[in-house]
Amino acid sequence: MSAPITQDLVTIPRKLPEGPTNIIGLTRPQLRDALIAVGTPEKQAKMRVNQIWQWLYNWGVRDFDLMTNLSKAFRVTLAENFVIELPEIVTKNVSTDGTRKYLVRIAGGHEVEVVYIPETDRGTLCISSQVGCTLTCSFCHTGTQKLVRNLTAGEIIGQVMLARDDLGEWPEPGTRTYDSRLLSNIVLMGMGEPLYNFENVRDAMNIAMDPEGICLSRRRITLSTSGVVPEIARTATEIGCLLAVSFHATTDPVRDKLVPINKRWNIEELMQSLAAYPKASNSERITFEYVMLDGVNDTDEDAKRLVSLIKQYNIPAKINLIPFNEWPGAPYKRSSNNRIRAFADIVFKAGYSSPVRKPRGEDIMAACGQLKSATERARKSRKQIEAEAGMKPE
Ligand code: SAH
Ligand code: SF4
């Protein structure tokens, strides 16, 4: 008789990669545990975390040996067990309007794009959370690229650190600068859906907000989501940043086509979760992003439906109108300036701020929705995109 077939349900732990740990991206508790694991006495661990934290995130130092308030022996231990590793800037393009686009290489040779947008009263860094995206919004260039992988917390905060390097913005060791920062705001509006990489985004943003380091206020960080409803409440409690939502349509059939995650969580469910967003208040309004697509979502009726939906759910909101940025093979056209103005007017008269987002860095393909790393282009044809969007080919 043959032996009964049994299934081995024991999970064999995956062998961890050999070698030192990257210290960038560890949260304070993770860093504390890691220091204790390499022999730091528990009683000293908190102080050591504070010291290392300041060198890394307040002064931007990349060499343990320069951390001069640590003993030589401790610096050697650190160097033996940890590395300070950031992604690498492969290329930098500067637009005629001052926008800088960095192509950044992460482990494994993948690339993401990071965009710095200088304005008179602020400087905003648009960072990526994933290589590619699992979602397939039909107007978005990133959506034509398959998800390659989630970024680690170190790779997410690393984008901020690289930009500070390039802007020359780390204060001299021993000093602090809070005023007139070049990099004053972060928006999670680059490649990927941040709420599908929640833990890493959360940890990276908590590092960005830490008062002993980069020290950006939570109100200077905006996370944009296409509408991952179950993670919206967590964003408020575990990150506490401002929220933007890629709304783009006022009826379910149209939103299903533009933002297919709508088939999973529809407009009603999304609006309910936004109405419950505990941080939402008049001073911390939720941004409704609305891309203006010619003949698709840009009528006066759309504008009226948009404001009545927001009123119905009583959501403190501002509406950010985004002229569609074209990309090669895109199945849509940008609405005319007159149409955008008429739409904005209806929204404004209904009592909502309705700024039209000025496309920045278009000449270097750095504008919203144009981001896609050259090496990973999926090269979907126009036909494929239209088919997925449920549109009739021309
Ligand atoms: N995945 C997140 C964040 C990245 S997209 C999200 O969808 O919200 C950042 C913003 O750019 C979103 O509002 C998105 O809808 C918008 N966008 C994408 N493609 C665009 C395009 N071609 N033109 C204008 N805006 C676009
Ligand atoms: Fe992904 Fe956002 Fe682009 Fe949609 S708009 S495909 S969620 S990056």
Side-chain angles (χ1 to χ4, degrees), residues 189-260:
M189 294 186 187
M191 296 165 73
E193 168 50 59
L195 296 189
Y196 274 157
N197 186 15
F198 188 87
E199 281 80 11
N200 289 324
V201 166
R202 174 198 61 200
D203 291 350
M205 291 307 100
N206 281 314
I207 293 173
M209 291 184 285
D210 191 292
E212 297 302 318
I214 298 168
C215 191
L216 285 177
S217 148
R218 62 176 188 83
R219 293 172 65 165
R220 289 186 172 273
I221 299 176
T222 303
L223 182 151
S224 174
T225 179
S226 56
V228 185
V229 165
E231 307 293 351
I232 286 178
R234 273 182 93 192
T235 306
T237 52
E238 297 181 37
I239 309 176
C241 60
L242 303 189
L243 192 68
V245 61
S246 289
F247 205 64
H248 306 319
T250 54
T251 64
D252 281 319
V254 177
R255 196 163 190 271
D256 282 350
K257 282 180 193 153
L258 298 180
V259 190

Side-chain angles (χ1 to χ4, degrees), residues 133-137 139-143 190-193 226 246 248 259:
C133 189
T134 45
L135 303 171
T136 51
C137 304
F139 55 89
C140 173
H141 206 191
T142 308
M191 296 165 73
E193 168 50 59
S226 56
S246 289
H248 306 319
V259 190

Side-chain angles (χ1 to χ4, degrees), residues 75-94:
R75 281 183 264 158
V76 170
T77 307
L78 288 175
E80 279 169 359
N81 293 283
F82 299 97
V83 285
I84 304 172
E85 213 167 72
L86 290 183
E88 183 196 345
I89 296 181
V90 185
T91 56
K92 171 178 141 188
N93 290 295
V94 183

Side-chain angles (χ1 to χ4, degrees), residues 63-322:
D63 182 348
F64 292 116
D65 220 33
L66 298 175
M67 302 183 176
T68 45
N69 57 354
L70 304 175
S71 72
K72 179 82 191 139
F74 187 55
R75 281 183 264 158
V76 170
T77 307
L78 288 175
E80 279 169 359
N81 293 283
F82 299 97
V83 285
I84 304 172
E85 213 167 72
L86 290 183
E88 183 196 345
I89 296 181
V90 185
T91 56
K92 171 178 141 188
N93 290 295
V94 183
S95 160
T96 49
D97 67 14
T99 301
R100 300 179 187 202
K101 181 170 89 167
Y102 309 101
L103 182 65
V104 167
R105 185 174 297 141
I106 56 169
H110 307 299
E111 289 163 355
V112 291
E113 286 164 328
V114 183
V115 181
Y116 173 72
I117 305 152
E119 288 172 283
T120 41
D121 59 339
R122 68 176 73 185
T124 304
L125 191 71
C126 177
I127 61 173
S128 294
S129 55
Q130 298 183 309
V131 185
C133 189
T134 45
L135 303 171
T136 51
C137 304
S138 51
F139 55 89
C140 173
H141 206 191
T142 308
T144 65
Q145 185 189 324
K146 287 208 177 86
L147 176 73
V148 177
R149 72 167 171 84
N150 280 339
L151 299 194
T152 63
E155 289 163 344
I156 298 169
I157 194 65
Q159 297 169 56
V160 179
M161 298 171 79
L162 287 180
R164 290 198 95 187
D165 289 355
D166 187 53
L167 295 166
E169 200 169 38
W170 296 105
E172 277 297 306
T175 67
R176 302 197 69 118
T177 43
Y178 288 123
D179 310 331
S180 60
R181 291 185 179 211
L182 294 172
L183 198 171
S184 62
N185 293 60
I186 295 176
V187 292
L188 282 145
M189 294 186 187
M191 296 165 73
E193 168 50 59
L195 296 189
Y196 274 157
N197 186 15
F198 188 87
E199 281 80 11
N200 289 324
V201 166
R202 174 198 61 200
D203 291 350
M205 291 307 100
N206 281 314
I207 293 173
M209 291 184 285
D210 191 292
E212 297 302 318
I214 298 168
C215 191
L216 285 177
S217 148
R218 62 176 188 83
R219 293 172 65 165
R220 289 186 172 273
I221 299 176
T222 303
L223 182 151
S224 174
T225 179
S226 56
V228 185
V229 165
E231 307 293 351
I232 286 178
R234 273 182 93 192
T235 306
T237 52
E238 297 181 37
I239 309 176
C241 60
L242 303 189
L243 192 68
V245 61
S246 289
F247 205 64
H248 306 319
T250 54
T251 64
D252 281 319
V254 177
R255 196 163 190 271
D256 282 350
K257 282 180 193 153
L258 298 180
V259 190
I261 199 175
N262 195 67
K263 294 182 203 156
R264 179 74 184 80
W265 295 287
N266 65 15
I267 291 180
E268 190 189 337
E269 290 166 291
L270 177 58
M271 293 304 275
Q272 280 167 353
S273 78
L274 298 177
Y277 194 69
K279 299 278 174 205
S281 64
N282 253 340
S283 65
E284 297 188 22
R285 288 169 296 173
I286 292 178
T287 302
F288 282 68
E289 296 165 289
Y290 199 95
V291 66
M292 296 297 291
L293 303 171
D294 183 35
V296 176
N297 63 352
D298 62 349
T299 63
D300 286 356
E301 285 63 46
D302 283 307
K304 287 176 195 155
R305 261 196 305 270
L306 179 61
V307 288
S308 72
L309 264 171
I310 294 172
K311 284 212 158 86
Q312 182 193 334
Y313 287 91
N314 199 18
I315 297 171
K318 66 174 168 212
I319 290 118
N320 203 334
L321 299 177
I322 317 174

